[in-house]
Amino acid sequence: MDVAACFEALAGGSMLGTALARLGGLARLTPAQASRLACLAFLHDVGKANAGFQLQEQWPGGKVGHVGPLAPILGGDRGHEWFWDALQFEEFLTWDAVGGRAVSCLLLASFSHHGTPLDLFDTGKAIPEAVWEPRGNIDPRAAVAELGALCRRWFPRAFSDDTDPPLPDAPAFQHGFAGLCILADWLGSDTRFFFPHVADLDLEYAATARAQARDAIAAVGLDVAAQRGAFSAPSGYADLFEFASPNAIQRAVADLPIEAPLVILESETGSGKTEAALWHFARLYAAGRVDGLYFALPTRSAAVQLHDRLGKMVARMFPVESRPETLLAVPGYLWAGEAKGTPLPGFEVLWDDAPDASLRARRWAAENGKRYLAAQIAVGTVDQAMLAAMAVKHAHLRAACLSRSLLVIDEVHASDVYMRTILKHLIEGHRAAGGPALLLSATLGAALRHDLLLGRRAAVPDLATAEDAPYPALSWPSDAGGGDAMACGDNGRPKAVAVSILPALGDPERIAAEAIAAARAGARVLVVRNTVDDAIAAQRALEIQAGSEANRLLFRLGDVPTLHHGRFAPGDRKKLDRAVEARFGKHRRDGDTAGLVLIGTQTLEQSLDIDADLLITDLCPIDVLLQRIGRLHRHDRPRPAGFETPRGRIVVPEDRDLARHLVKRKDGAGLGTVYEDVLMLEAAWRLIEARPHWNIPTDNRLLVERGTHPEALASLKNSLGQSWIDHWETLIGQQIEHQRFAKSNLLHRDVSFTNKKIKFPPEEEERIRTRLGDEGPRAEFDPAPKGPFGGTVPVLPLPAHLTRAAREATAPEDVTPLPGGGFAFAWGPLKFRYDRLGLRLKETAADV
């Protein structure tokens, strides 16, 4: 009854119920429909009546559970008529449309509340019929009949209104119902805060359960009625941000049609897209169109970097007494607002600010990664949202929770067909539930923009038309089936960038020499390598060449020279981000004008609000390159002599020949190994050679289209010869395969719960998560060893691609301190070290 009461409260009194109704083609659920669905949710655990579960018996297939024994009953096997008779199920079937099967499908969805659909067709795990036979004082059939009677006692409205419309039979409604059932099961099963255990049946308990359920959904932030009542819509940007005068794109977002279901915002890096997104959320929240916000970024690093910044913005939006904490939705981190948690046995969490019961309840979503999307305000990785669109455990829960939020996806690029396929499916499902989405990009090509807005309804515009499209711009689907676009105008911060080639891809010493020379001249220098290994090689070369000047010219955390990439422990990564922003950010200390070099990877191109005089970066696709160049002259400040114009030095192979990178090889130096489409790299290289001066943002559209548009790439490969044509055809084949693989792993919400296609193969889940970039294993240390920057390292996330040879490992072993700080450890057969250069395998003499 606790679970059913939670479902009833969510379905009848929250935006989640409205989203569920939309999936069924309804504006809202009637009270009788909500009661009938709650009644089906009430039966979610009817399988626990079987004697095998009550006695915790072992059968040849394993311990008897409470979901599997229901499969033959729902599958229509003979001999189970007693079950339907005990429930008096004929009355339930009156909730169907004539000839419909909605109720049976919804009951199956209710039985699937553990996160995966109950497989009616898996006969290999069949449980003997004897589990449903009376055993001593356990009578399963009488228990089922008692539950049927309680349905009528506790949900009388479900059985009393014969004139109410039937329950929707749309498959999408079944999937939405499953997600809400799972959420209700998580809440209703929480005995810590909301539902103390009741040992004996109380026939009047329903009223207690309903009162506790209302309190529970308000306590965790799923009911925001009181918060919205105290909310004052901001009157201008100055109410939320540190500036009073919005720029062109921010003004344009304020004028958007509030009913637009999907908006794409394109503007140059550093133009305030994050602030524009938060303003859009404030408008939607004030209008009652959303309850929450999920801000999705491409990497963990970017999410961690944005967490504090977004939290400060949100703090200005809500009064103190109803202010939500901003949750960090990144596996391996337990951060809610400024508080940090430590996992304890039994799924408990120890928070470092000793919260009272009320604040602890508000962090309910933060304490389990599967519940991240239930948070009202969260910033995290895009894969956490994408898992709502895929056939993996708890996908329905994630999708249901997300349906009440504005989904913001930052840094949308065209590089990955697999991710694009999932992204489209995610957005389509979110929109079907009434959830709005906002996509942000500095470098979106016409092909992807049209695919996201219009799907297959319209051909991609030709290259000339694509180049002429306005930029910066907003676009959204129109009621007529096309796309509307709004030119936003100039943001008032044009930037002329000088770009040139540095042929030193395999020569970290030359890269280091150029960086050191610029730093000695007073420049702040960012060096961005495509791989962690290449970044470490450049860092080592830099330290040797700096010599006695290392303390002055090299980036340090405290007194430790280091670099910036994604393989640092969560606590150390936070320290690194703050140190980087302190030396390269907008609010650096007065008088901090000395030259400095910072080496990193793609983590430096995402979300950190940093500024450099000189960028040295490995060659990459043009959309990524523009993202990196956005870190040049990002802030208004005096520049050292010789660096008054922002300069980008693009590191390329020494022999002006990318053809050798057409086949993946271990010495690819971050080209064919990181970016499969070498043709895009060639296109970027040629644009650098042809146009040594780029005007940002005026040239953005032209550069992106000439570097990514299918027409431009097709023309280029035809001019380069047969090996490039073969590469193109190989890429097309790979893209088709990636798209096929992505589609095979999608959760198809247009397919009924009783269809054989609805399967979540457990052996596929790890492969799906790894392909998404989702979490690898977590090395948990007890006691926590001392890290390279002071403090201890209790948890260290391990990249999935580095641990494939140790799938059976569950804990670190042989933890040994290192002389220079940090520690070494074994993970199964693998040997790792974690020091000031980050996490890496011990493979070279320098790492022993």
Side-chain angles (χ1 to χ4, degrees), residues 431 450-460 477-483:
R431 287 178 58 185
H450 271 65
D451 197 21
L452 291 170
L453 284 176
L454 308 174
R456 298 180 180 178
R457 291 178 291 169
V460 176
S478 68
D479 293 338

Side-chain angles (χ1 to χ4, degrees), residues 587-751:
H587 303 294
R588 68 183 66 170
R589 297 186 304 270
D590 291 341
D592 185 8
T593 59
L596 191 68
V597 182
L598 169 62
I599 292 178
T601 61
Q602 291 92 329
T603 57
L604 292 176
E605 78 196 36
Q606 298 162 339
S607 296
L608 278 175
D609 186 14
I610 56 177
D611 166 283
D613 302 305
L614 172 66
L615 171 72
I616 301 175
T617 171
D618 286 354
L619 180 66
C620 53
I622 197 70
D623 52 352
V624 179
L625 181 55
L626 283 167
Q627 194 76 23
R628 295 179 185 180
I629 284 175
R631 270 55 196 167
L632 281 170
H633 286 217
R634 187 180 175 102
H635 305 142
D636 292 325
R637 66 177 180 84
R639 302 292 163 180
F643 297 91
E644 295 86 354
T645 296
R647 293 163 49 191
R649 294 280 277 158
I650 317 305
V651 181
V652 298
E654 292 83 345
D655 56 3
R656 186 51 184 100
D657 181 18
L658 286 182
R660 69 185 181 91
H661 295 282
L662 294 178
V663 178
K664 281 190 176 183
R665 38 193 288 179
K666 288 186 177 180
D667 62 349
L671 291 177
T673 53
V674 174
Y675 300 108
E676 293 182 350
D677 192 340
V678 184
L679 192 61
M680 278 193 179
L681 300 176
E682 179 69 27
W685 194 337
R686 288 174 177 241
L687 283 166
I688 297 162
E689 291 176 325
R691 304 175 67 91
H693 298 281
W694 295 358
N695 295 309
I696 307 297
T698 305
D699 292 341
N700 275 42
R701 185 72 81 195
L702 179 146
L703 291 168
V704 169
E705 298 303 344
R706 292 189 184 179
T708 66
H709 195 285
E711 183 182 326
L713 295 177
S715 175
L716 178 59
K717 57 95 177 174
N718 288 333
S719 71
L720 291 173
Q722 190 59 46
S723 63
W724 288 88
I725 294 172
D726 293 344
H727 173 64
W728 170 275
E729 291 175 350
T730 299
L731 283 174
I732 295 298
Q734 289 174 345
Q735 289 172 0
I736 292 172
E737 177 60 23
H738 291 168
Q739 187 177 56
R740 184 205 63 77
F741 178 54
K743 287 183 175 179
S744 71
N745 292 317
L746 296 176
L747 175 56
H748 296 286
R749 291 187 172 82
D750 57 345
V751 177

